[in-house]
Amino acid sequence: TPLHVCSLLWFLHTHTCAYTLSLPNNICMHSLTHQLFRTVRVGCLLSFTLSASPVSAGASKTCTPRPLGTTPLCTRTTHSVAMASPTPRVSLLSQQHAKQVDEDLMGDEIGFSLEQLMELAGQAVAHALVASHPPPPPPCAEPPRILALCGPGNNGGDGLVAARHLTLMGYKADVLYPKQVDRPHFHRLVKQCRASKVSILDRCPSPDELRAYHCVIDALFGFSFHGTMREPFAFIVANVNESNVPTVAVDIPSGWDVEEGSSGGVAVDACTLVSLTAPKRMARFFKGTHWLGGRFVPPTILEKYSMVLPSYPGTDAIVDITHCEYISGGETDSAASL
């Protein structure tokens, strides 16, 4: 034991000192021996202290580096404790309220531009796709392919942005954009996609061809959609549904009624939904994974519309609201029970 070692060293030290006193230059030898003993004695005391600790002999503590993009351990502990708290609540917006919120965000008082909102929305969609449908683990030789279906409105712009961001996240992105918008901002979005090596397809892939994709982004139509879906979009949706490729819907599955959900007509069968700003009322009827990408909504909007949104974890741009309690018009609906 360290105590026995110290006793032995003390015995050697005293006898060595007695011997060195009879030698020439004994003062220097005695000083050297004394310093040597002091050094060894400190080491023994330290060894004795460590042996008294609860860590068993031979055991070692290691610190495993935290992978990028993961939540720190202290935050994970906090989240696990929070699971016992009441179910988080989130407001549902009607079609009219959703339009008003967008108008306020881009109004003179708040000052967002359409370009800014599209960039924030598209980036959130990209992060949600990676979270729900991550790339296959190695040794996958080729990057996973995704296809963004982009419609003629602002939803299509969100899809173009998402495709560009996904190329920076290890995916190979293609875009199907059959009805391109003749406006400067949309022209710039297409240029940015081409510069990022995003392919713009000139035809809709067949169901067999679609099965080569890891995931599809449905950015055809948003909450302003109403009526019956026309060609070529009905044909595109039919091919995607037949392929059974996992599909991520942007804000609302194309073809759904923003208030009442699926009407039984032509509509995208999505497994993941990314609501933007706040979820819309049709979210009550959605059965898959539900993300919210709205970490740009200022407090003035929340106060004006009495909106309740969940907290975003860490620095994430998205939050999982699959099991949140939906609040709509003073009524509550549990997402988990619908």
Side-chain angles (χ1 to χ4, degrees):
T1 66
L3 186 59
H4 293 149
V5 173
C6 287
S7 299
L8 178 61
L9 287 173
W10 178 258
F11 173 81
L12 293 174
H13 168 65
T14 54
H15 285 72
T16 302
C17 289
Y19 173 74
T20 54
L21 285 173
S22 64
L23 296 176
N25 300 324
N26 56 63
I27 295 177
C28 294
M29 288 295 295
H30 181 270
S31 176
L32 177 62
T33 306
H34 184 67
Q35 289 295 331
L36 177 61
F37 172 75
R38 288 182 62 190
T39 303
V40 174
R41 182 177 60 182
V42 171
C44 289
L45 290 175
L46 179 61
S47 176
F48 178 79
T49 303
L50 291 176
S51 67
S53 69
V55 181
S56 60
S60 62
K61 290 185 178 181
T62 59
C63 180
T64 304
R66 179 170 63 90
L68 292 177
T70 60
T71 306
L73 181 60
C74 59
T75 308
R76 290 202 301 269
T77 303
T78 302
H79 286 176
S80 64
V81 173
M83 292 297 290
S85 62
T87 303
R89 309 172 82 193
V90 59
S91 297
L92 299 180
L93 297 182
S94 66
Q95 185 178 52
Q96 183 60 35
H97 281 160
K99 291 179 179 178
Q100 291 174 352
V101 168
D102 275 1
E103 291 173 0
D104 287 349
L105 287 171
M106 292 183 285
D108 293 336
E109 183 177 345
I110 297 178
F112 276 104
S113 67
L114 177 61
E115 291 85 347
Q116 283 179 293
L117 293 179
M118 280 188 182
E119 192 69 24
L120 292 166
Q123 187 178 36
V125 170
H127 280 265
L129 185 145
V130 174
S132 295
H133 308 283
C140 183
E142 297 293 331
R145 299 174 62 195
I146 65 101
L147 174 63
L149 309 175
C150 299
N154 295 341
N155 226 41
D158 299 341
L160 292 170
V161 173
R164 169 164 48 84
H165 278 283
L166 285 165
T167 63
L168 305 175
M169 300 177 182
Y171 293 77
K172 172 67 176 70
D174 296 337
V175 164
L176 181 61
Y177 192 21
K179 297 284 186 179
Q180 299 192 18
V181 179
D182 188 16
R183 281 188 281 173
H185 175 55
F186 287 87
H187 293 325
R188 288 193 293 270
L189 289 178
V190 172
K191 288 181 180 180
Q192 292 163 12
C193 282
R194 294 188 188 280
S196 298
K197 306 299 183 183
V198 175
S199 300
I200 311 296
L201 306 183
D202 56 6
R203 67 173 183 85
C204 177
S206 67
D208 285 339
E209 292 171 326
L210 285 168
R211 294 186 183 102
Y213 287 96
H214 180 70
C215 192
V216 171
I217 297 175
D218 165 29
L220 292 175
F221 300 103
F223 64 78
S224 298
F225 175 83
H226 58 85
T228 304
M229 191 177 298
R230 302 176 183 177
E231 299 296 350
F233 303 106
F235 175 74
I236 295 171
V237 170
N239 278 9
V240 170
N241 288 345
E242 184 178 343
S243 72
N244 289 321
V245 176
T247 303
V248 177
V250 178
D251 213 22
I252 176 174
S254 293
W256 276 38
D257 182 274
V258 69
E259 307 278 349
E260 301 300 331
S262 178
S263 60
V266 178
V268 169
D269 184 13
C271 62
T272 304
L273 173 64
V274 186
S275 290
L276 302 173
T277 307
K280 314 309 180 285
R281 284 184 177 173
M282 60 82 209
R284 296 171 295 163
F285 308 103
F286 187 75
K287 304 294 185 181
T289 303
H290 190 183
W291 297 92
L292 175 62
R295 202 168 191 170
F296 51 83
V297 181
T300 52
I301 291 291
L302 300 180
E303 295 166 2
K304 179 177 180 178
Y305 293 95
S306 299
M307 290 170 58
V308 177
L309 298 181
S311 299
Y312 287 79
T315 57
D316 292 354
I318 56 173
V319 57
D320 189 345
I321 59 172
T322 305
H323 302 292
C324 283
E325 184 180 16
Y326 296 141
I327 308 168
S328 178
E331 300 176 353
T332 58
D333 293 300
S334 173
S337 65
L338 292 175

